[in-house]
């Protein structure tokens, strides 16, 4: 099978790397890609938001499957354009990607499917906003209704900060605060069959101890030794399957990756958010342990034959991903800063250094090109070993002005979650 991965980030590098190691895959292409992806795929130039251009590239390359990584091309209809050209595509239609593209739409789907989630008000005016803030009280949870690269959510005890953020959005969702640990549970689906992956945890805040602002994700690990045994079955039955069924029922069948961001609250599981694509950086950790050929899952989802693939199989052990970010992230990011030590780190046992925001400068040096720069991923027999390996690799890498969290998977590896 010939594949084409669309995107430039760490998730796309992890996908391309897994496909390059997949015996069922003969060619891996990527567009636009990054220097890490260039080591495992042939890179091509394309505007990832331009469906016609992506479809033309896929046709020209003669690929059997296009894998759309990020949400923005999905919301822009790139998967629709590829399918219209007669090529299988992993990723939902523009209409179905509204599950991620509009938090208000996601809330409607959850209400119709009776999926447990935070109570919420969709607000447009100052009056509605103030009424909703006061109805829920602190801590305030304020979400931009539109896509905001994981940075549209403000959780704060400060009513003024909450109000200012809400007023800066066109349409805003204000909702009940959910306590309890967060879990990312992904399912691959062709619109009928729903195959859950194993649970992972993401670290959303910028700083150690879950301090600082929300980011796209500063690290991840999988599996979760502390998760209840019935978590996957419970979420599949109460969240994933009803959501996929409701999407089909309301005329926007969903295929691709359904990402359920969950809070395990004292009152049970609640959906924090849906995404319509693989999570980043959870995917880097998950794919490091996936034993089922990735191409079989992606193609089964794309062409409606997922039932023949069967439940994904996993290696024993754990995987940990630590994100190394550039100076200023998440408020800003810094490009052109020198990165050294990647090859040495990548050669360490059990380690893959996944590139997220990297580029080559005019002299061929590896430099930063975005907020999240690298997603250093390691596997090991248990969480502590995987974590030690990931941090040994991080220690071998230097990014001018760079930053990373030092506590990814720490409490879980000590059995303290
Ligand atoms: P989202 O973009 O919806 O995933 O939100 C980003 C992050 O904000 C989540 O991962 C949570 O850490 C936090 N968050 C979102 N919604 C809530 C909520 N209702 N209660 C508590 N924290 C939340
Ligand atoms: N890891 C969070 C996300 O992909 O949205």
């Amino acid at each position: 099978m010939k594949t084409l991965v669309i995107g430039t980030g760490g998730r796309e590098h992890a996908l391309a790397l897994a496909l390059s190691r997949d015996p069922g895959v003969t060619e891996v292409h990527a567009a636009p890609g990054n220097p890490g992806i260039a080591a495992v795929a042939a890179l091509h130039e394309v505007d990832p938001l331009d469906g016609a251009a992506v479809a033309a590239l896929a046709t020209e390359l003669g690929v059997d499957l296009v894998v759309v990584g990020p949400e923005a091309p999905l919301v822009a209809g790139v998967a629709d354009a590829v399918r219209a050209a007669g090529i299988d595509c992993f990723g939902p239609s523009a209409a179905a990607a509204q599950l991620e593209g509009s938090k208000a739409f996601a809330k409607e789907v959850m209400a119709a499917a009776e999926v447990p989630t935070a109570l919420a008000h969709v607000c447009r005016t100052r009056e509605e906003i103030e009424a909703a803030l006061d109805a829920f009280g602190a801590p305030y949870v304020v979400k931009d209704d539109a896509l905001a690269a994981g940075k549209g959510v403000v959780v704060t005890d400060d009513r003024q900060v909450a109000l200012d953020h809400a007023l800066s959005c066109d349409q805003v969702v204000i909702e009940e605060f959910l306590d309890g640990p967060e879990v990312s549970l992904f399912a691959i689906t062709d619109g009928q069959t729903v195959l859950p992956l194993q649970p992972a945890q993401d670290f959303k805040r910028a700083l150690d101890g879950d301090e600082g602002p929300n980011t796209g994700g500063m690290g991840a690990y999988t599996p979760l030794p502390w998760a209840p045994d019935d978590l996957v079955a419970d979420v599949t039955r109460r969240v994933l399957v009803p959501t996929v069924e409701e999407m089909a029922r309301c005329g926007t069948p969903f295929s691709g990756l359904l990402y359920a961001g969950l809070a395990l609250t004292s009152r049970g599981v609640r959906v924090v958010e849906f995404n319509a694509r693989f999570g980043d950086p959870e995917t880097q950790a998950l794919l490091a342990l996936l034993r089922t050929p990735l191409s079989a899952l992606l193609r089964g989802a794309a062409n409606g034959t997922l039932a023949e693939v069967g439940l994904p199989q996993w290696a024993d052990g754990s995987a940990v991903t630590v994100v190394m970010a550039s100076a200023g992230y998440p408020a800003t990011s810094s490009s052109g800063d020198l990165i050294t030590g990647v090859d040495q780190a990548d050669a360490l046992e059990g380690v893959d250094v996944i590139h997220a925001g990297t580029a080559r400068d005019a002299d061929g040096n590896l430099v930063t090109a975005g907020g999240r720069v690298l997603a250093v991923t390691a596997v090991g027999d248990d969480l502590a070993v995987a974590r030690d390996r990931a941090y040994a690799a991080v220690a071998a890498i230097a990014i001018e002005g760079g930053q990373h969290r030092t506590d990814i998977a720490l409490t879980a590896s000590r059995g303290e979650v």
Side-chain angles (χ1 to χ4, degrees):
M1 189 193 322
K2 298 185 188 180
T3 59
L4 169 63
V5 177
I6 301 299
T8 57
R11 162 188 43 225
E12 289 74 33
H13 185 187
L15 289 163
L17 181 64
L19 291 171
S20 75
R21 293 172 175 170
D22 182 330
V25 175
T26 51
E27 286 179 27
V28 186
H29 298 270
N34 67 36
I37 301 175
V40 295
L43 298 196
H44 306 274
E45 300 222 353
V46 81
D47 173 358
L49 296 177
D50 182 342
V54 171
L57 176 64
T59 304
E60 180 193 321
L61 294 171
V63 299
D64 306 294
L65 177 70
V66 175
V67 182
V68 180
E71 60 275 18
L74 292 167
V75 169
V78 168
D80 306 80
V82 171
R83 280 192 277 267
I87 300 172
D88 284 344
C89 187
F90 181 83
S93 67
Q98 284 303 307
L99 203 52
E100 171 165 5
S102 165
K103 293 190 186 283
F105 175 71
K107 286 288 184 191
E108 284 167 25
V109 171
M110 285 188 266
E114 296 184 29
V115 167
T117 185
L119 294 173
H121 291 296
V122 181
C123 309
R124 288 189 150 274
T125 67
R126 185 184 186 109
E127 260 181 353
E128 289 168 359
I129 290 167
E130 297 218 42
L133 291 175
D134 294 335
F136 289 124
Y140 303 101
V141 181
V142 180
K143 301 184 172 186
D144 192 337
D145 184 49
L147 284 183
K151 293 184 284 187
V153 177
V154 168
V155 181
T156 176
D157 284 321
D158 187 330
R159 190 177 181 283
Q160 191 62 44
V161 171
L163 182 61
D164 290 344
H165 180 58
L167 291 172
S168 76
C169 307
D170 250 3
Q171 176 164 280
V172 66
V173 176
I174 294 176
E175 65 179 37
E176 162 194 26
F177 178 79
L178 300 173
D179 62 350
E182 286 185 46
V183 172
S184 300
L185 187 58
F186 302 167
I188 298 197
T189 179
D190 58 8
Q192 285 200 307
T193 300
V194 175
L195 300 181
L197 307 189
Q198 67 181 22
Q201 191 170 48
D202 177 22
F203 292 75
K204 290 254 165 72
R205 299 287 188 134
L207 305 176
D208 282 1
D210 293 331
E211 302 285 337
N214 262 316
T215 70
M218 295 299 288
Y221 66 95
T222 183
L224 311 179
W226 50 268
D229 288 340
D230 61 352
L231 180 70
V232 173
D234 187 44
V235 173
T236 302
R237 184 173 53 83
R238 293 174 60 211
V239 174
L240 300 169
V241 167
T243 300
V244 168
E245 286 176 355
E246 173 59 21
M247 291 294 283
R249 201 197 56 76
C250 71
T252 50
F254 186 99
S255 71
L257 191 292
L258 176 59
Y259 170 134
L262 307 163
L264 309 193
T265 77
S266 46
R267 292 174 297 128
V269 171
R270 299 282 186 277
V271 174
V272 176
E273 63 162 344
F274 281 133
N275 292 318
R277 37 78 194 169
F278 279 97
D280 190 342
E282 298 96 310
T283 298
Q284 287 85 318
L286 282 163
L287 294 184
L289 295 177
L290 182 69
R291 281 296 158 269
T292 303
L294 179 64
S295 65
L297 290 165
L298 301 184
R299 180 153 67 176
N303 68 11
T305 59
L306 202 53
E308 294 164 26
V309 180
L311 274 177
Q313 302 297 308
W314 303 93
D316 293 336
S318 298
V320 173
T321 296
V322 179
V323 168
M324 301 181 75
S326 68
Y329 183 73
T332 60
S333 65
S334 175
S335 290
D337 305 325
L338 195 62
I339 308 168
T340 54
V342 166
D343 291 343
Q344 294 86 323
D346 197 53
L348 295 173
E349 187 180 357
V351 172
D352 280 318
V353 178
I354 304 294
H355 292 233
T358 68
R360 297 269 174 209
D361 70 9
D363 301 323
N365 298 311
L366 194 65
V367 296
T368 62
R372 294 190 291 175
V373 177
L374 300 171
V376 178
T377 300
V379 296
D381 285 343
D382 61 27
L383 212 41
V385 174
R387 185 175 187 280
D388 286 348
R389 285 177 172 171
Y391 275 107
V394 166
I397 297 171
I399 299 177
E400 267 176 5
Q403 39 162 339
H404 61 268
R405 281 182 62 158
T406 66
D407 64 346
I408 302 303
L410 179 60
T411 54
S413 71
R414 292 179 173 160
E416 291 169 2
V417 173

